[in-house]
């Protein structure tokens, strides 16, 4: 996920994935929320070995995430406040 807005933290994301997901059995299926290459399922073991960001050290991961320079999402100014209120809009 993006860690450059909405109180995001590359360190927290890395720690969460490594302590909660990467500790599951290697054959555990993982279904990505976003994959732009047509993959709809992976395993813990595949992600540990082949994920281009999460297979790195924490320091490398944080550096990669800080240098992504992703464009500002077009609907972010509406989406973040809604997400912060559990999706309920006034």
């Amino acid at each position: 996920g993006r860690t450059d807005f909405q109180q995001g933290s590359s360190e927290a994301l890395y720690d969460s994935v490594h302590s909660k997901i990467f500790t599951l059995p290697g054959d555990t299926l993982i279904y990505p929320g976003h994959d732009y290459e047509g993959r709809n399922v992976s395993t813990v073991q595949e992600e540990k070995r082949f994920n281009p960001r999460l297979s790195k050290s924490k320091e490398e991961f944080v550096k990669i995430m800080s240098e992504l320079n992703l464009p500002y999402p077009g609907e972010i100014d509406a989406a973040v406040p809604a997400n912060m209120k559990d999706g309920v809009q006034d």
Side-chain angles (χ1 to χ4, degrees):
R2 289 194 60 167
T3 59
D4 56 333
F5 55 82
Q6 198 172 349
Q7 292 88 37
S9 166
S10 298
E11 292 89 349
L13 175 60
Y14 185 92
D15 290 341
S16 179
V17 170
H18 279 260
S19 68
K20 297 177 192 240
I21 296 173
F22 283 4
T23 57
L24 296 170
D27 60 351
T28 301
L29 298 179
I30 297 175
Y31 297 89
H34 303 281
D35 186 301
Y36 305 105
E37 296 181 19
R39 296 178 300 243
N40 58 10
V41 66
S42 183
T43 66
V44 169
Q45 187 60 36
E46 288 172 337
E47 294 303 317
K48 283 180 171 180
R49 291 185 61 208
F50 302 118
N51 186 296
R53 298 179 192 157
L54 291 166
S55 60
K56 308 289 187 209
S57 71
K58 183 175 181 178
E59 292 74 24
E60 290 171 302
F61 177 81
V62 170
K63 184 176 188 305
I64 290 167
M65 296 302 284
S66 71
E67 295 174 350
L68 287 177
N69 297 318
L70 298 171
Y72 194 76
E75 301 296 322
I76 195 70
D77 292 331
V80 168
N83 287 345
M84 301 285 289
K85 293 174 26 178
D86 296 325
V88 177
Q89 295 185 8
D90 294 330

